[in-house]
Structures are given as C-alpha cells and as structure tokens.
Amino acid sequence: SSDLIIVRFAASGKEALWDARADSLLSFAEDQGLTPDFSCRAGICGTCVTRILSGSVAYFEEPLDELAEGEALLCCSKPVGPIVLDL
C-alpha cells in the first residue's frame, strides 16, 4: 500500500517502517534504539534539530525557531513520505 513509509537513519544505518502510533519522529527514533539529542519535546528549544537528507516532514506543532532548508525538529514532526534523516 502507498501508506508504507520507510524512515532511514543514515548515520546509524537503521531503517524502519514508520509507525503511525508514534508521537513524533523523536519518539520513533527512540523506539528504534537511537538517542537523538532533545530537551523540551515541544518545538521550542531546537535541541533535536536534524538534517533531512531526503523526504520531508509535516509539523503538528509549529516550531518557534525558523529552521534552515533541509532541517527538521524531530519532537514535533512526522514524515509525509519516505524520509532519510542524518541520525
């Protein structure tokens, strides 16, 4: 089906099928055994900013800081399709 979204974590070499029950890309990464930096988990501090190598995210909580092109805040975003993160 077309709703299958593969999330690849390039730096760690992991990839997993996105689980729609995950709260965010941050908690999904943690579910895969990764330990991304984070602090507020609310899109405020910018600690969890990660480079998107391909694909894009949708925010369910608008980040307070302007992000550079190709960056995402993991704590308040979900993938909109297959995505490769620099994690």
Side-chain angles (χ1 to χ4, degrees):
S1 109
S2 62
D3 336 301
L4 294 183
I5 295 177
I6 300 287
V7 179
R8 280 192 41 224
F9 300 101
S12 59
K14 291 182 184 238
E15 72 174 39
L17 197 55
W18 170 251
D19 179 352
R21 294 168 306 202
D23 291 339
S24 64
L25 274 165
L26 175 60
S27 55
F28 183 73
E30 292 171 333
D31 292 344
Q32 310 314 309
L34 298 176
T35 53
D37 289 338
F38 70 88
S39 181
C40 73
R41 292 190 106 99
I44 296 165
C45 71
T47 306
C48 68
V49 70
T50 299
R51 279 186 342 116
I52 301 174
L53 302 178
S54 78
S56 59
V57 298
Y59 287 100
F60 52 84
E61 193 68 59
E62 224 19 76
L64 287 190
D65 275 342
E66 258 324 282
L67 291 170
E69 190 61 40
E71 290 184 337
L73 284 185
L74 298 179
C75 72
C76 55
S77 64
K78 297 184 176 190
V80 288
I83 191 166
V84 181
L85 296 169
D86 190 13
L87 257 187

